[in-house]
Amino acid sequence: MSGHDPTPGGAVTAPSQITPDRLADRDVLRALAAEPLVGLAAGRALLMQLAHPAVARGVAEHSDFAERPLARLFGTLDFLLIVTFGTPEQVARIAAKVRGIHTTVRGEDYSGNDPDLQLWVNATLIDSALHVYEHVMRGGEPGLAEAYYRQARVVAEVLGCPLETQPPDLAAFRAYMADTLAALEVTGTAREVADAVLWPRRLRVLAPALAVFRLLTAALLPDELRGQFGLPWTPARRRTAGALLRTARLGHRLTPAWLRRPPEPLLVRLATFRVDRTLSARRARRRAA
């Protein structure tokens, strides 16, 4: 298994401290993360995370996914934005906050601070970004995927997954992903959480957008997981998804980078605001419990 165990319950190690020099080399990570098209794979990454039984149980037992079905998705994306674009001080603050939350996430055979689970969560984000780059954007810049992988490892490292325990290069990462996906089996808990995200009862006003979200998530998801999650996939849906992705790729190519990429400081401010609001609401719920 490329030296990594995809099963829950891996040993928990003390979080590593990220020095500013470890955050100095983020140019490729930032360049790809700033592309709006990468956001198309958000649902893909989330369902891949849930395919790990320990992650699915943690989300089901320690979040109000039924009431706030997209909270996990936006929480992960906000953390990723801050680690990618934030200053070392901003990264240190968000890391401390997230580690504090993860300390309370414990259950049978899983822990929020388990480096194996942190590795898997970040791996789904890396794999999804590269999938969009290679198959939707049709990017082929030599060495970009390798450089992106090497730089993106810092996201798991910030959470406490030591760099030396992560696959050392892109080839080893690809092997880790293939082995882990082959070993995973989507549980009923994972399908329950996924259904709450893909068919949220409280967001019916967003029905058209959610229909597109479901379709693109199914299109981008690995074949073996699409079937296990029970996502409908017919020739008509495949053609529709293909047309949407081709349109998105055309829009990407026709729109100048300065126009399609939001300002990085704005991304960090919005992400920080959402994280602080979520943490305040979480503290309020604990006091009321």
Side-chain angles (χ1 to χ4, degrees):
M1 299 294 289
S2 303
H4 300 278
D5 181 4
T7 59
V12 178
T13 62
S16 57
Q17 297 300 314
I18 305 300
T19 57
D21 63 290
R22 283 288 297 120
L23 296 169
D25 189 18
R26 289 179 287 173
D27 57 328
V28 178
L29 174 62
R30 286 172 164 173
L32 192 52
E35 293 293 351
L37 275 189
V38 172
L40 295 178
R44 177 189 193 269
L46 177 61
L47 263 62
M48 289 176 71
Q49 293 169 22
L50 294 175
H52 196 303
V55 175
R57 285 200 304 273
V59 174
E61 295 174 7
H62 293 272
S63 71
D64 53 349
F65 69 92
E67 300 298 319
R68 302 171 64 243
L70 299 180
R72 164 80 187 196
L73 176 62
F74 285 117
T76 300
L77 293 179
D78 286 339
F79 173 77
L80 180 62
L81 286 173
I82 295 172
V83 174
T84 300
F85 299 110
T87 65
E89 294 75 20
Q90 290 170 324
V91 173
R93 284 198 295 271
I94 188 64
K97 291 176 180 179
V98 172
R99 287 171 181 169
I101 293 174
H102 284 176
T103 299
T104 68
V105 178
R106 286 185 170 275
E108 185 177 354
D109 295 330
Y110 71 84
S111 164
N113 284 322
D114 184 336
D116 285 343
L117 299 185
Q118 294 164 352
L119 172 61
W120 174 244
V121 168
N122 191 39
T124 67
L125 298 171
I126 295 173
D127 187 74
S128 295
L130 290 178
H131 183 83
V132 168
Y133 174 72
E134 294 167 348
H135 299 284
V136 180
M137 296 167 62
R138 299 287 176 85
E141 183 178 337
L144 184 142
E146 182 73 51
Y148 178 82
Y149 170 69
R150 289 183 179 277
Q151 294 182 15
R153 291 182 299 170
V154 75
V155 176
E157 193 180 1
V158 164
L159 286 174
C161 181
L163 186 64
E164 60 270 17
T165 68
Q166 301 183 46
D169 53 36
L170 184 62
F173 173 74
R174 302 283 199 198
Y176 162 76
M177 288 299 300
D179 289 350
T180 304
L181 282 171
L184 294 179
E185 183 175 349
V186 175
T187 64
T189 299
R191 283 188 286 271
E192 181 183 359
V193 178
D195 286 350
V197 173
L198 296 175
W199 286 273
R201 294 188 299 273
R202 291 177 172 267
L203 297 177
R204 290 176 181 170
V205 68
L206 299 178
L210 288 168
V212 174
F213 175 62
R214 287 192 296 271
L215 179 62
L216 294 182
T217 296
L220 297 172
L221 203 63
D223 293 341
E224 59 267 43
L225 294 185
R226 185 192 305 120
Q228 291 189 53
F229 275 108
L231 298 180
W233 195 238
T234 63
R237 291 178 67 81
R238 184 182 299 107
R239 288 192 297 271
T240 302
L244 288 173
L245 292 173
R246 287 191 297 273
T247 301
R249 179 166 61 249
L250 179 62
H252 166 79
R253 291 179 175 175
L254 294 179
T255 307
W258 65 266
L259 185 58
R260 68 175 184 260
R261 295 177 178 176
E264 294 174 8
L266 176 61
L267 291 175
V268 173
R269 283 199 297 271
L270 290 175
T272 301
F273 170 76
R274 286 192 296 261
V275 169
D276 289 341
R277 185 180 60 181
T278 298
L279 291 176
S280 297
R282 186 185 182 97
R283 287 192 292 268
R285 288 195 299 271
R286 283 184 177 177
R287 288 194 296 267

